[in-house]
């Protein structure tokens, strides 16, 4: 859920800056597709994490409630 919120905020902020600084505005469907693509790629990356000491520490620090490591 946090990943979705952060992605949406980032892409809205980026589009706002594009409007402020004169870049060509994107249509909402393109922004939506960028957000979905970002979320899918990050989730796929997390699913394929190996179980190393460093990754276990990050898992604990991020307080994830699910197992992200391959079995």
């Amino acid at each position: 859920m946090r990943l979705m919120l952060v992605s949406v905020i980032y892409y809205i902020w980026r589009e706002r800056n594009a409007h402020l600084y004169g870049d060509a505005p994107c249509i909402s469907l393109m922004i939506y597709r960028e957000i979905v693509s970002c979320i899918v790629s990050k989730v796929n990356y997390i699913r394929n994490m190996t179980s190393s000491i460093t990754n276990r520490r990050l898992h604990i620090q991020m307080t994830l409630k699910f197992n992200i490591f391959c079995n």
Side-chain angles (χ1 to χ4, degrees):
M1 189 65 126
R2 183 171 33 176
L3 177 62
M4 288 189 317
L5 178 64
V6 169
S7 296
V8 169
I9 290 171
Y10 171 75
Y11 281 100
I12 290 173
W13 171 78
R14 201 174 85 171
E15 186 63 21
R16 176 192 157 273
N17 281 350
H19 284 278
L20 288 176
Y21 296 109
D23 292 341
C26 292
I27 59 173
S28 58
L29 183 60
M30 288 177 58
I31 297 169
Y32 172 77
R33 287 182 179 164
E34 286 182 11
I35 292 169
V36 170
S37 174
C38 174
I39 292 169
V40 167
S41 66
K42 294 207 187 268
V43 167
N44 286 334
Y45 177 76
I46 288 173
R47 281 187 183 161
N48 296 321
M49 288 209 127
T50 57
S51 180
S52 69
I53 294 171
T54 304
N55 289 342
R56 292 273 178 196
R57 284 185 189 145
L58 288 173
H59 184 266
I60 292 168
Q61 288 174 351
M62 291 190 295
T63 61
L64 298 175
K65 296 178 181 161
F66 52 90
N67 189 9
I68 62 172
F69 302 107
C70 300
N71 292 330

